[in-house]
Amino acid sequence: MILLDNSEQLLALFESLARSIPESLKVYGSVYHINHGNPFNMEVLVDSWPEYQMVIIRPQKQEMTDDMDSYTNVYRIFSKDPQKSQEVLKNCEIINWKQRLRIQGLQESLGEGITAAAFSKSVKVEHSTAVLLVTEDILKLNASNKSKFGSWAETGHPDDDFERETPNFKYGQLDVSYSGLVNDNWKLGKNERSLRYIKRCIGALPAACMLGPEGAPVAWITMDPSCEVGMAYSVEKYRKTGKMAQVMVRYKKYLLQKNIPFYISVLEENERSRSSVKAAGFFEASCEWHQWTCYPQNLVPF
């Protein structure tokens, strides 16, 4: 595999990946953040250049020091020929199979190669899927292929009439000081590793919230290193009041203004969340969200 560390190469890859949206969104979003300061210290590998068949995004070596940290040890993959991914994954040293890790992609056909490669390394694999939701604007990227790198910290949030209409509530940026609150209410969190991860996400990437009358967030939403929107939550007192939908609409408006790519995954059985996301202007994509969680024999959870 070839490491792409030249800014011109990364921009060329970014533009090329736009033509494969939505299947390439995981990798496309990761390259966006790499091109915009690379706050998570990720790196890009391709099987060949400039013509490539496979792209793998992974954290740089200095990031993956904790063998149990599957929030950090995440690989994001896109392949123009997923059926051939098995050969690459089995024969290269790109993936550290000695760690607990996650492999994410939007191509179900990657699964056969990932599972076979993991089996050859005596690694247990758990596969999970979710519905991928996107907007028309994101799909148009493969035609317009335009993106400018904005900064949440520099630009703040979109102006609107919300504060005048509901004076006891205020929309704004989610502060990193609320990382513990997000962690305590995140289904995949509630531990020290997830707290560190959440702090990095909120501190480096766009994250929005609705502040209630008490001055604390009553609903919030964040972004991950691949531009996936998630960790969305509203406190029980304010559920079914439209607060999450209001946050989502304004958050989406900001991302669109800055041409920051974004998408959402929701478990298929979570019909209420799917309906809420669709009400905010999203629709189900032609492909699904996939994750393969991998455990070496000595790190398999009980």
Side-chain angles (χ1 to χ4, degrees):
M1 297 288 283
I2 302 169
L3 176 67
L4 294 188
D5 55 5
N6 178 283
S7 59
E8 292 184 1
Q9 292 176 330
L10 290 171
L11 183 57
L13 176 64
F14 184 68
E15 293 173 347
S16 173
L17 288 167
R19 295 191 285 271
S20 297
I21 289 173
E23 287 84 1
S24 65
L25 266 174
K26 266 284 170 192
V27 169
Y28 179 86
S30 301
V31 175
Y32 175 88
H33 284 312
I34 291 172
N35 286 341
H36 184 52
N38 200 9
F40 284 79
N41 295 322
M42 297 185 291
E43 59 188 16
V44 182
L45 298 113
V46 294
D47 60 332
S48 59
W49 187 260
E51 297 298 325
Y52 64 89
Q53 292 296 311
M54 191 169 187
V55 185
I56 298 178
I57 309 290
R58 69 176 183 185
Q60 295 174 12
K61 187 175 181 180
Q62 67 267 25
E63 290 287 328
M64 296 191 290
T65 57
D66 183 350
D67 289 343
M68 293 294 290
D69 188 0
S70 55
Y71 301 96
T72 299
N73 306 333
V74 179
Y75 299 75
R76 296 167 176 103
I77 298 179
F78 167 72
S79 178
K80 293 180 180 178
D81 190 354
Q83 301 299 333
K84 293 184 179 180
S85 61
Q86 178 177 338
E87 182 179 349
V88 176
L89 294 173
K90 285 180 69 174
N91 297 326
C92 74
E93 299 300 321
I94 298 303
I95 294 176
N96 183 357
W97 296 104
K98 296 178 181 180
Q99 294 185 318
R100 181 172 176 176
L101 59 92
R102 295 172 183 170
I103 300 174
Q104 297 178 343
L106 306 178
Q107 299 167 286
E108 183 178 11
S109 49
L110 286 170
E112 183 177 349
I114 292 170
T115 302
F119 180 79
S120 71
K121 306 293 183 179
S122 300
V123 170
K124 174 183 169 66
V125 179
E126 293 180 355
H127 177 220
S128 54
T129 65
V131 176
L132 177 68
L133 295 118
V134 297
T135 66
E136 286 288 352
D137 302 272
I138 298 303
L139 293 185
K140 289 176 183 177
L141 281 172
N142 59 14
S144 65
N145 203 24
K146 294 179 180 178
S147 182
K148 59 177 178 286
F149 304 142
S151 170
W152 175 265
E154 293 173 0
T155 57
H157 58 81
D159 294 325
D160 53 41
D161 296 327
F162 176 77
E163 283 81 3
R164 287 192 293 274
E165 297 170 0
T166 53
N168 292 328
F169 295 88
K170 182 179 180 181
Y171 171 83
Q173 181 179 356
L174 179 64
D175 191 85
V176 71
S177 62
Y178 291 110
S179 299
L181 177 65
V182 175
N183 187 44
D184 290 342
N185 291 284
W186 186 31
K187 184 179 179 180
L188 302 178
K190 300 178 176 68
N191 61 75
E192 287 301 315
R193 290 186 178 90
S194 61
L195 178 59
R196 288 197 301 269
Y197 170 71
I198 289 169
K199 285 181 177 178
R200 291 187 72 176
C201 288
I202 296 176
L205 308 174
C209 71
M210 186 75 70
L211 297 172
E214 299 85 2
V218 300
W220 56 82
I221 193 164
T222 69
M223 177 175 278
D224 84 351
S226 68
C227 285
E228 180 170 347
V229 172
M231 300 186 209
Y233 188 85
S234 58
V235 298
E236 188 171 356
K237 180 180 178 180
Y238 292 100
R239 288 177 191 166
K240 298 182 180 180
T241 63
K243 296 294 181 289
M244 175 53 68
Q246 291 166 336
V247 172
M248 180 71 75
V249 168
R250 286 157 180 78
Y251 184 64
K252 187 182 79 167
K253 178 182 176 182
Y254 166 79
L255 297 175
L256 288 172
Q257 285 178 340
K258 297 302 169 186
N259 283 321
I260 300 174
F262 61 93
Y263 54 96
I264 293 176
S265 65
V266 179
L267 293 176
E268 186 171 4
E269 60 268 24
N270 194 342
E271 294 185 5
R272 193 170 78 175
S273 291
R274 286 168 65 186
S275 297
S276 176
V277 173
K278 288 179 179 178
F282 291 77
F283 64 92
E284 295 183 12
S286 57
C287 55
E288 291 182 312
W289 179 97
H290 296 273
Q291 178 171 270
W292 294 268
T293 304
C294 304
Y295 310 94
Q297 286 186 336
N298 61 322
L299 298 179
V300 174
F302 292 103

